[in-house]
Amino acid sequence: MSDTISPETCSYAFTAPIKTVSIAKKSITLTSGADKKTYDGTPLLSEVYEVGKLCYGDKIDISFPVSIVSVGDVENVPEYKIFNDKGEDVTFNYNVKCEWGRLEIEKRPVTFKADDVIKVYDGEAHSSVKGSITG
């Protein structure tokens, strides 16, 4: 490399305008699973999800803290972050459209059935305490 400037270079006035580079967020959709069951006293949860295509090397870390035990329904909203291959949080580089499934527990049907009793009419009141519960 020479410390001198060639005569051809001295003939030009170089300008390099400053430009702004903007990086737009990548749009993806994150959908959590839905599930439904009849009440049985145990928790209902779903760790099923679908996520749009992430950039090369990026991975989603997702957990599902939501569950339901009693009759009713809740949104299945997970907690998530997106990391690059170096382990850096790059969630802010994504525009995540969220579509949450619902977890629903329905009432358990219970049937009370009184057993049939046959009595001969004798003018007295009669009752029966025999019966069964199903469900």
Side-chain angles (χ1 to χ4, degrees), residues 4-54:
T4 62
I5 299 176
S6 71
E8 294 83 26
T9 306
C10 292
S11 300
Y12 299 97
F14 291 99
T15 59
I18 296 174
K19 296 290 181 176
T20 302
V21 176
S22 297
I23 298 177
K25 293 182 176 195
K26 179 174 177 62
S27 292
I28 61 169
T29 300
L30 174 60
T31 305
S32 66
D35 205 354
K36 179 192 279 191
K37 73 174 183 175
T38 301
Y39 174 77
D40 65 3
T42 63
L44 173 65
L45 63 120
S46 174
E47 295 183 337
V48 174
Y49 70 94
E50 291 181 15
V51 65
K53 186 173 171 128
L54 301 174

Side-chain angles (χ1 to χ4, degrees), residues 23-120:
I23 298 177
K25 293 182 176 195
K26 179 174 177 62
S27 292
I28 61 169
T29 300
L30 174 60
T31 305
S32 66
D35 205 354
K36 179 192 279 191
K37 73 174 183 175
T38 301
Y39 174 77
D40 65 3
T42 63
L44 173 65
L45 63 120
S46 174
E47 295 183 337
V48 174
Y49 70 94
E50 291 181 15
V51 65
K53 186 173 171 128
L54 301 174
C55 291
Y56 180 78
D58 289 355
K59 295 190 184 330
I60 190 165
D61 181 20
I62 190 165
S63 63
F64 291 84
V66 178
S67 67
I68 185 171
V69 177
S70 300
V71 172
D73 66 291
V74 295
E75 280 190 321
N76 190 20
V77 179
E79 296 174 353
Y80 67 91
K81 286 191 178 184
I82 302 170
F83 295 95
N84 65 16
D85 57 356
K86 297 174 188 164
E88 300 166 326
D89 184 351
V90 293
T91 308
F92 58 89
N93 287 327
Y94 288 88
N95 180 22
V96 182
K97 178 183 175 195
C98 302
E99 296 176 356
W100 304 139
R102 296 196 73 75
L103 301 175
E104 181 179 358
I105 296 183
E106 297 176 327
K107 291 181 179 182
R108 176 170 221 78
V110 176
T111 303
F112 297 94
K113 181 180 179 265
D115 291 345
D116 294 330
V117 177
I118 298 175
K119 295 278 188 182
V120 175

